[in-house]
Amino acid sequence: MRSDVIHVSSDGAGFDEALNQAEFVARFRDLPKKSALQLRLLTEEVMGMMRALTGEREADFWIDDENPDDPADRLFRLHLTAETMMNGEMRKKLLSASTSGLNSAAVGFTGKLRDLFEQLIEPSDQNMADDLKMGVYYAGADYAVESVNSADLWSLNAYRAEIGNGAGPKADWDELEKSVVAKVADEVRIGITGQVVEMTIYKKY
């Protein structure tokens, strides 16, 4: 199942419709009250990140799922996609970056997540690897570093593992502990396919 695609913008347009979609999906899949609230909460967090983007930004939001008839393996995905101004050379630079941690200028984990998404939408070509400081954490062998057309660039679970292994300051772990998205979601990935940046939040029920 895939919900309607809702066009949202940083001025708040489409936010109510996105929340209505989350509630519709929960009803359609007959989710228990707690699960329905979590789906709405994650949607609210996505819309909050969208509202915090600088300037006039537009994106598409939708929800889809897998294995709806198997309560033990039911997966919901919340998608937020936006066109990027990144060219092929900039993409190559990004995929070869080796900096660790999210952008330290952003406040809180959700703020850093939003900052990463925004910088991928409209990146600077100058000192790109240094400017992003977002950590290129690949989710597995399926996402090849040499691919410049499609790649997952960042994974919450990989980031959590890195921070948990002492790769970052304790403050980074504290931010994860306080983040609604990090607590509720099973995974978050941000990647680029062609000229589209996509943030996908995964939730199993």
Side-chain angles (χ1 to χ4, degrees):
M1 178 218 68
R2 174 169 166 160
S3 74
D4 292 342
V5 177
I6 308 299
H7 192 70
V8 297
S9 62
S10 54
D11 65 2
F15 286 14
D16 288 342
E17 290 86 347
L19 293 172
N20 288 339
Q21 280 298 302
E23 293 177 354
F24 170 79
V25 169
R27 289 195 303 271
F28 184 75
R29 288 305 189 201
D30 197 24
L31 292 180
K33 184 177 181 179
K34 180 180 178 180
S35 299
L37 288 174
Q38 288 177 331
L39 198 64
R40 180 185 169 91
L41 184 59
L42 288 172
T43 302
E44 289 176 347
E45 289 293 305
V46 173
M47 293 303 106
M49 283 187 271
M50 187 69 201
R51 187 183 294 278
L53 297 178
T54 59
E56 296 181 5
R57 305 287 188 177
E58 297 183 350
D60 288 329
F61 172 82
W62 72 92
I63 302 172
D64 61 16
D65 66 349
E66 287 185 2
N67 307 316
D69 299 322
D70 184 359
D73 195 30
R74 187 162 49 179
L75 174 67
F76 288 81
R77 292 180 295 246
L78 292 76
H79 302 263
L80 185 69
T81 66
E83 291 188 4
T84 177
M85 297 176 67
M86 187 177 297
N87 58 39
E89 184 61 30
M90 294 165 73
R91 193 178 292 114
K92 288 179 183 178
K93 289 182 181 180
L94 177 61
L95 292 176
S96 65
S98 60
T99 53
S100 63
L102 291 162
N103 190 332
S104 59
V107 177
F109 173 75
T110 303
K112 292 177 179 179
L113 198 60
R114 179 264 307 156
D115 190 71
L116 167 56
F117 186 76
E118 182 170 32
Q119 290 192 58
L120 290 176
I121 294 173
E122 192 172 2
S124 169
D125 197 21
Q126 296 181 345
N127 303 318
M128 187 172 180
D130 291 333
D131 289 343
L132 286 177
K133 297 188 183 305
M134 42 70 72
V136 182
Y137 300 107
Y138 292 92
D142 290 341
Y143 305 98
V145 174
E146 60 268 19
S147 170
V148 298
N149 292 319
S150 177
D152 267 13
L153 300 176
W154 188 87
S155 159
L156 168 62
N157 288 340
Y159 177 70
R160 180 184 279 122
E162 289 286 324
I163 298 302
N165 288 332
K170 183 178 182 299
D172 288 347
W173 183 260
D174 291 341
E175 288 177 351
L176 277 177
E177 291 291 289
K178 295 175 182 177
S179 166
V180 171
V181 172
K183 282 183 177 180
V184 177
D186 291 295
E187 170 68 305
V188 180
R189 291 182 184 174
I190 297 179
I192 300 174
T193 301
Q195 292 300 112
V196 174
V197 178
E198 180 168 13
M199 179 190 302
T200 307
I201 297 179
Y202 299 77
K203 180 60 183 175
K204 292 182 178 180
Y205 290 114

